Amino acid sequence: MSPVNPYDDAVTARAVIDDTGTLLEWNDGARRLLGHAPEDVVGRPAAELLADGGKVTPPGPGEERWSGTLTLRHRAGHTVPVWVLAHRRQPDGGGPGDWLAVTPLGSDVPDQRHDPLIAVALTQSPCATMIFDEQLRLRGMNDAMAELIGLPATRVRGLRATDLGVRPQNREFEQHMRHVLTTGGRREMESYLKASGEREAHAWLARLAPVTDGQGQVLGVCVTAHDFTEQYLARERLQLVNEASVRIGTTLDVARTAQELADVCVPALADFVSVDLLDAQEDSGEPAGRLTAPVGLRRAAHRSVNPGSPEAVAKPGQLDVYPAASPQASSLIAGHTVVATLASGDLEQWLAWDKVRYQRVKEYGIHSTMSVPLQARGMTLGVAVFTRFRRSAEFTHDDVLLAEEVTARAAVCIDNARRYSRERETTLTLQRSLLPRVLPRTPAVDAASRYLPATRSGVGGDWFDVIPLSGMRVAMVVGDVVGYGIQASATMGRLRTAVRTLADIDLTPDELLTHLDDLVVRLSAESGGDGAGEVGASCLYAVYDPVSRRCTMARADHPAPVMIPPGGRPRLVDLPEGPPLGVGGLPFESAEFELREGTVLSFYTDGLIEAGERDAGVGRGLLCDTLSVSSDSLDEICDHVLHALLPPGGSADDVALLLARTRGLPASQVATWDIPADPALVAPIRKQVVDQLAGWRLDEAAFIAELVVSELVTNAIRYGAPPIRLRLIHDASTLICEVSDANHTAPHLRRAKTWDEGGRGLLLVAQLTQRWGSRHTTEGKTIWAELELFGEG
């Protein structure tokens, strides 16, 4: 009998059946299996071969493979049980498909358990494999595993995993095997280490599976090792990109963002990373568009695997100049990544020019650098330099792609931070120019203030002011414009100017807020009224009179002030709230309070009490508790309040705080006369005024005061309506003359013609006094004039 050709097609039975169940092909192996010649069955239904009219369960929709045991009819008349594997085939050119049915004849194939070919194949398999028994002793390994661990298979049989090595991974590996023995389940273990004879570490995946007998009893553990370094590195790269998207750009601070870039890439991509930025040009605020060597770069951040970054030559904030031969300048001028290695000689010219860096390269064994330009919006912002010395592998093409993706994300964040910082600085400059630099000294109150811009959302529209009024009175205002940025600051400036103008004509607080509300409505209309430019604001306006020691307040949707009476507990002022500015058409309501001398009033914006997402009610309570501190210095109280109510990093909203301690003017510094409406009595009134000034030891002011009183009283008698009243008020630096009458018509200054007999009175008053004006009262009007005192007589 001649030996069977190992490539003979007859060792496998094959048949092809179309979708209608008709046999299309029948090979010699099928003839050997069932005895039917091809000409007897091809073209006939395949179902005729099933014994006893058996049926086949067809594959489900979309299934392309079927397997199972069929009882088939032999040509000799007996039945044959056959395991069949069928595949669905689709022709390349289209058209109807068919099924290929196969089964191995296998009569001359040895049993797998005793097949010498399989034994040799397992030994020579490229997949590293080892077997451990139930006592976790090594029973054997194939050639690939012996080469991997660098030990001869015949010498290590009987050893445990912890005998083969003393690394922590060996102990972990044995724990995994013990788990497989105990549970009968499979396990996987990943590790990153150098195998025997390797220069570079690789990522290894160990798959552990139980070895069982026929009854399923676990006899040992089969272990296969797979080098999955490529998959591991790809996963690490993806993880680094994801981490960069989360960790870079958490703030709008340039230095912080640059540091986050360096932190993310060490040690994942490099052993040392530096981020250097181009300085902005003064005229545009942007880095130079066209770069030429040498290039000046300022160190923004760096990070090393070594504590303290001893490899760094430049310190954060330091400006360094890089010649054309340097990787930094080369990449910036070329506009793409430059990889330079010591072995290739790319760094020689630069290191020869920079002796300090040459020493650092030599000291730490730096062998490879990768310079990646930071580019955003078509503009070059700087360069990130990645350096390796602890990791022996040079940068690969994949490393370049990874670095470029991470730095591209960082560049956008740095650009956003630079633009934000520039806008914030511009807004802060505008804000500082609009807010009072120094609060005016007034005889009515001692005042102190603080303004803190928002730390994250940008400079807002909070403002405050102290405005001296006539009659020694003072106005205090605090407000908050909705929104942030330059627009909010500009709106704040317009409102502050409007408040000063309205305060100058001595409107009551509720009237002033009504006029301010009209202005905000007009500003909203001018901005388009589409919502995007809509203007809104809150405001609190208070007027304090040190003579009567009464304070009148009104507010427009602004937090109520806190009052601290001398020796008493802080409490919120019960003040009608009022609608926000910009609603239009709704009234505001004033409230009047009598204040003891030394009462402290605390005016503030909501950023103070709502800092740190605190509830406003809780914030007001905390503010009252904080204001309980006893101190003669209002500045100390301001600092104490900010320290107690604001988080260490500052508030998300800007904060304005204004503290005012009231003074009272003694009755001895005020003199009042009721004036009869008789011009003949003006002379006696002048005499009484001179006598009063002498009693106050203000003789040097008597002459001018006498003239001013004469003119104001004469005007009141001639043009006003009774009752007429004269009041003199003085402090250390100012003498005020006030004449009130019941006529609501305000006087106005005019230039008298040469032949006019009158019309020069107010002009004379304006020339002789520091300032003068009029204010409306509920009873009529008051004309006032202020004289500057240079010292007491």
Side-chain angles (χ1 to χ4, degrees):
M1 182 176 178
S2 61
V4 178
N5 185 343
Y7 300 105
D8 188 356
D9 194 48
V11 298
T12 301
R14 292 186 179 87
V16 178
I17 308 166
D18 67 12
D19 286 336
T20 65
T22 302
L23 280 163
L24 302 179
E25 296 181 19
W26 187 265
N27 79 336
D28 191 51
R31 182 192 61 76
R32 289 177 56 194
L33 178 66
L34 296 179
H36 300 284
E39 58 269 18
D40 296 334
V41 292
V42 172
R44 301 185 63 80
E48 293 180 356
L49 297 177
L50 296 174
D52 303 325
K55 294 182 179 181
V56 179
T57 303
E63 293 186 11
E64 298 184 350
R65 191 176 73 177
W66 180 91
S67 63
T69 301
L70 300 176
T71 302
L72 302 178
R73 183 170 49 82
H74 196 275
R75 184 174 185 276
H78 61 275
T79 60
V80 180
V82 179
W83 182 86
V84 178
L85 174 64
H87 299 279
R88 176 72 174 173
R89 300 191 307 182
Q90 293 290 350
D92 295 337
D98 55 37
W99 288 86
L100 170 65
V102 298
T103 186
L105 300 182
S107 57
D108 56 349
V109 177
D111 186 294
Q112 179 174 325
R113 292 170 295 179
H114 308 292
D115 192 337
L117 180 61
I118 292 178
V120 173
L122 290 176
T123 301
Q124 299 178 4
S125 169
C127 179
T129 306
M130 58 174 54
I131 307 295
F132 290 84
D133 62 18
E134 69 276 7
Q135 295 180 346
L136 298 182
R137 295 179 304 178
L138 179 63
R139 291 289 291 269
M141 69 177 83
N142 66 356
D143 297 343
M145 182 63 78
E147 182 180 357
L148 180 63
I149 66 174
L151 296 171
T154 57
R155 299 291 186 181
V156 295
R157 293 187 65 202
L159 297 180
R160 292 173 52 174
T162 51
D163 298 326
L164 297 174
V166 293
R167 294 172 176 171
Q169 291 91 337
N170 291 72
R171 294 191 296 272
E172 182 185 356
F173 177 56
E174 189 165 279
Q175 291 173 359
H176 282 291
M177 287 197 297
R178 186 174 291 109
H179 183 274
V180 173
L181 281 176
T182 304
T183 64
R186 295 171 178 262
R187 297 296 291 265
E188 289 187 354
M189 174 185 164
E190 294 182 4
S191 58
Y192 194 81
L193 46 81
K194 291 181 182 179
S196 175
E198 287 188 325
R199 295 183 55 194
E200 292 292 333
H202 284 70
W204 297 95
L205 173 65
R207 288 194 170 101
L208 297 81
V211 177
T212 61
D213 59 14
Q215 289 73 40
Q217 180 69 31
V218 179
L219 303 177
V221 180
C222 175
V223 180
T224 58
H226 308 271
D227 183 350
F228 77 122
T229 303
E230 286 300 320
Q231 298 91 325
Y232 175 83
L233 292 178
R235 188 175 66 191
E236 289 290 300
R237 286 191 285 268
L238 180 60
Q239 182 177 345
L240 180 60
V241 171
N242 291 335
E243 192 173 351
S245 65
V246 173
R247 291 176 55 188
I248 299 177
T250 59
T251 68
L252 288 171
D253 180 83
V254 174
R256 176 80 175 271
T257 304
Q259 189 62 56
E260 289 168 346
L261 168 60
D263 292 345
V264 163
C265 295
V266 175
L269 186 57
D271 300 318
F272 176 76
V273 173
S274 62
V275 181
D276 299 291
L277 301 179
L278 294 161
D279 282 342
Q281 295 178 302
E282 292 185 5
D283 55 346
S284 65
E286 301 283 0
R290 185 179 182 86
L291 298 175
T292 56
V295 179
L297 292 168
R298 192 174 301 277
R299 177 62 50 87
H302 54 233
R303 178 66 182 270
S304 171
V305 292
N306 295 321
S309 301
E311 313 88 344
V313 174
K315 297 179 180 179
Q318 179 179 330
L319 181 66
D320 213 346
V321 177
Y322 295 85
S326 65
Q328 291 89 337
S330 298
S331 63
L332 286 173
I333 295 172
H336 59 71
T337 302
V338 171
V339 176
T341 63
L342 202 62
S344 64
D346 299 331
L347 298 173
E348 286 183 2
Q349 186 177 352
W350 177 44
L351 295 178
W353 179 82
D354 194 329
K355 300 299 183 182
V356 176
R357 280 186 168 83
Y358 174 75
Q359 290 298 327
R360 298 292 170 87
V361 167
K362 191 175 180 181
E363 179 180 356
Y364 292 98
I366 295 172
H367 60 81
S368 182
T369 68
M370 174 171 56
S371 301
V372 185
L374 291 163
Q375 298 171 326
R377 295 190 299 126
M379 188 184 318
T380 301
L381 306 176
V383 63
V385 180
F386 302 80
T387 304
R388 283 182 178 174
F389 50 86
R390 182 177 296 181
R391 191 185 308 192
S392 58
E394 296 177 351
F395 290 107
T396 64
H397 179 66
D398 288 337
D399 292 330
V400 171
L401 296 178
L402 177 60
E404 289 176 343
E405 183 168 358
V406 173
T407 53
R409 292 172 180 262
V412 172
C413 296
I414 289 174
D415 182 52
N416 289 339
R418 292 183 77 151
R419 296 171 68 188
Y420 168 79
S421 298
R422 189 167 61 250
E423 180 178 338
R424 176 181 172 84
E425 189 59 37
T426 302
T427 308
L428 273 174
T429 302
L430 174 63
Q431 185 92 333
R432 293 190 188 102
S433 69
L434 296 174
L435 289 174
R437 296 184 180 181
V438 179
L439 295 178
R441 296 174 61 88
T442 72
V445 295
D446 294 318
S449 63
R450 294 291 185 273
Y451 172 77
L452 293 179
T455 54
R456 294 189 296 274
S457 50
V459 180
D462 289 13
W463 93 92
F464 59 88
D465 212 345
V466 175
I467 308 169
L469 302 178
S470 62
M472 299 285 183
R473 297 169 306 132
V474 65
M476 295 160 287
V477 59
V478 62
D480 185 358
V481 175
V482 175
Y484 300 94
I486 293 179
Q487 184 62 42
S489 293
T491 302
M492 177 274 288
R494 299 178 74 173
L495 295 185
R496 178 172 179 254
T497 302
V499 169
R500 279 189 158 266
T501 303
L502 295 170
D504 226 23
I505 59 176
D506 264 313
L507 294 178
T508 60
D510 55 315
E511 291 175 330
L512 184 142
L513 290 180
T514 300
H515 284 76
L516 203 61
D517 183 46
D518 293 339
L519 172 61
V520 174
V521 170
R522 287 197 302 272
L523 291 177
S524 291
E526 291 172 4
S527 65
D530 57 357
E534 197 168 317
V535 179
S538 68
C539 184
L540 188 151
Y541 184 75
V543 175
Y544 172 67
D545 186 344
V547 177
S548 65
R549 301 181 185 180
R550 299 192 69 81
C551 183
T552 307
M553 305 181 190
R555 61 178 175 140
D557 193 41
H558 198 85
V562 175
M563 178 191 300
I564 310 102
R569 289 281 303 168
R571 62 180 177 84
L572 288 172
V573 176
D574 186 10
L575 185 63
E577 184 170 358
L581 297 177
V583 173
L586 297 178
F588 299 93
E589 186 178 348
S590 293
E592 191 174 65
F593 309 91
E594 185 170 351
L595 304 179
R596 293 162 54 195
E597 184 173 5
T599 298
V600 175
L601 295 173
S602 173
F603 306 95
Y604 53 91
T605 54
D606 56 6
L608 179 66
I609 58 175
E610 296 177 4
E613 301 182 358
R614 186 192 302 118
D615 178 74
V618 175
R620 282 190 289 266
L622 180 58
L623 175 60
C624 289
D625 292 340
T626 306
L627 288 170
S628 300
V629 62
S630 177
S631 175
D632 293 332
S633 170
L634 292 179
D635 284 305
E636 288 183 3
I637 297 176
C638 281
D639 293 336
H640 181 65
V641 168
L642 296 183
H643 179 76
L645 271 74
L646 300 183
S651 174
D653 193 5
D654 50 345
V655 173
L657 174 64
L658 173 64
L659 298 183
R661 179 180 285 119
T662 63
R663 295 177 179 177
L665 206 63
S668 60
Q669 294 179 224
V670 182
T672 305
W673 294 270
D674 291 321
I675 308 297
D678 184 355
L681 298 178
V682 173
I685 292 298
R686 292 202 308 262
K687 176 66 170 60
Q688 294 177 41
V689 167
V690 171
D691 292 342
Q692 181 63 62
L693 293 178
W696 284 341
R697 302 176 65 185
L698 299 177
D699 300 276
E700 80 283 355
F703 176 72
I704 296 178
E706 184 180 2
L707 290 177
V708 171
V709 168
S710 177
E711 292 297 332
L712 295 183
V713 171
T714 300
N715 273 354
I717 293 174
R718 181 176 299 176
Y719 303 110
I724 301 171
R725 177 173 295 175
L726 168 65
R727 185 170 73 161
L728 298 182
I729 310 170
H730 86 90
D731 67 355
S733 60
T734 306
L735 172 65
I736 299 176
C737 304
E738 294 182 345
V739 177
S740 304
D741 68 81
N743 191 328
H744 290 273
T745 303
H748 62 279
L749 192 66
R750 66 184 180 87
R751 183 175 298 278
K753 295 183 175 63
T754 306
W755 54 84
D756 287 346
E757 294 183 2
R760 297 177 179 84
L762 289 181
L763 181 60
L764 180 62
V765 170
Q767 295 294 320
L768 294 175
T769 60
Q770 186 177 4
R771 64 187 189 122
W772 75 280
S774 66
R775 65 176 181 268
H776 289 280
T777 64
T778 54
E779 297 85 8
K781 68 176 179 301
T782 298
I783 311 299
W784 55 268
E786 290 185 3
L787 285 73
E788 187 174 5
L789 300 177
F790 296 99
E792 296 185 357

